[in-house]
Amino acid sequence: MEENLLFLLPRDRNTGLNNVMQVLARQLNAPVEFVDKGHGYRLGDVIELLHGLRQAKRAGRRVHSSGLVPDVLNRISGRRGGSSTVHNFLAPDYKAQYGNTKGVLAACLHAWALRGIGQVLGCSAAVSRNLNQRYRLRAITCLNGCADCATPSGAYDDQRRYYFAGPLIRRKRVDAAAAAICSLDPLGKMRVFGSGPEENRVIEAMAARPQDLIIGPVDSPAAHYVPGQFYISFASFEGMPLGVLEAFKQGLIPVLSDIPPHAEAVQALGIPELQTFETPGAGVKWATSLSNEARLALARKIRQQALSVFSEIAFARRFKKCLFE
């Protein structure tokens, strides 16, 4: 057991951030503490938690937090003995989530907390650069690597399916991806594992071919993937998207926007045939140009590489090196 490490995570337990950090904690055999007891942020619980964090730090244990509220509590509990992994770009993410005014305030609060934490890790090089340039931190990169590695549910076939997993919010641009598939790939079908305020826009984008769209959340998207198909993500910004890493491990071929974290994930795989795209249309055209044989060979190569590059063991090794060496 990693006696000198304690993970402090947000109360929203079924999120990419929590999934990644809980897998890492399990790999390191380290305990996890959540910032509430399942019934919201109560003052008594927060005071009790802060007392426990201070005691842990005095005993020489490092408290590693992730998320706005955990990072604030980590700083308040003492400047020494703390560290954090940041999974977003602060201001852009918080503005999208809370609106402009509340988003800026949340970003300022989070930046204040991070400045008082001993070591800050970014989940991707793009996140680290943003923290260092915009918020004058000294973050280093520990590339995310934990993702669901469920056995794919189906055998390879010659259909073309485009998968997406995640919340249906504006910055994910799932409607733009759906529109490109509807207009450029007459044989393409889209399966969206998620829900959110942009759901109707996705349905409207596929209105000409409603039979080719299946939409709705599931417990484990990775268990529904069929190898050799496509994972499409044209988000305008990301930290290091968990859905993309899961797709790699299931042997899905990425069709991704040309934002830095997507490019970083593709580069980490080290497969020259892969690329990112400026527009959804360019990505779909590339996908339709691949023969069935080429798709099968590429999918096998992606899965083999991903199981090594993005394995839990490799991620835990990177994490310990960043934090303790």
Side-chain angles (χ1 to χ4, degrees), residues 166-208:
L168 300 182
I169 54 181
R170 181 62 59 90
R171 69 178 175 86
K172 297 290 187 178
R173 300 177 62 211
V174 184
D175 58 328
I181 294 167
C182 188
S183 63
L184 297 172
D185 188 352
L187 300 179
K189 301 180 184 297
M190 191 174 190
R191 180 65 169 99
V192 177
F193 299 113
S195 60
E198 296 293 298
E199 184 171 332
N200 286 337
R201 293 173 66 94
V202 178
I203 294 172
E204 290 171 5
M206 289 286 287

Side-chain angles (χ1 to χ4, degrees), residues 87-100 103 123-124 126-127 130 134-135 164 167 169-174 233-242 244 256-263 277-278:
H87 294 261
N88 65 18
F89 288 87
L90 302 193
D93 285 272
Y94 292 139
K95 285 181 181 179
Q97 185 174 357
Y98 303 121
N100 285 339
C123 70
S124 68
V127 167
N130 176 69
R134 187 165 184 175
Y135 300 99
F164 172 82
I169 54 181
R170 181 62 59 90
R171 69 178 175 86
K172 297 290 187 178
R173 300 177 62 211
V174 184
S233 173
F234 270 82
S236 53
F237 58 90
E238 292 279 7
M240 175 53 70
L242 181 64
V244 172
L256 308 174
S257 57
D258 59 348
I259 58 174
H262 282 164
F277 303 92
E278 290 186 4

